[in-house]
Amino acid sequence: MTDWTETELSALRRAYASGTTRVSYDGKSVDYGSAEDLLARIRIIERAIAGTTRPLPVAGLAGFSRGDR
């Protein structure tokens, strides 16, 4: 797994906000096919940095009893 940095994430966000699909940071340049591709990469890195690469669990159904019936 690649270790992403806040520098890379910031560069991706700036590119997305400016409407371009070419991102440059730390002497590297990457061309993304579309704004959707760029946004998808931003979301992947955000989840990885936050440590939530797995989907969140689905809540179960709670039950109760009053005890008198």
Side-chain angles (χ1 to χ4, degrees):
M1 179 175 150
T2 304
D3 292 323
W4 292 290
T5 64
E6 287 292 335
T7 303
E8 180 181 3
L9 183 56
S10 295
L12 290 167
R13 287 176 175 158
R14 279 192 307 275
Y16 184 76
S18 69
T20 185
T21 57
R22 183 175 184 84
V23 180
S24 298
Y25 63 95
D26 294 338
K28 304 172 189 173
S29 291
V30 179
D31 284 313
Y32 289 89
S34 67
E36 291 80 19
D37 293 341
L38 180 55
L39 184 58
R41 180 58 131 190
I42 290 169
R43 298 297 181 238
I44 288 168
I45 295 172
E46 286 174 339
R47 283 193 304 268
I49 289 174
T52 57
T53 55
R54 293 176 296 182
L56 296 174
V58 176
L61 180 64
F64 66 93
S65 173
R66 292 180 17 180
D68 62 344
R69 296 182 189 218

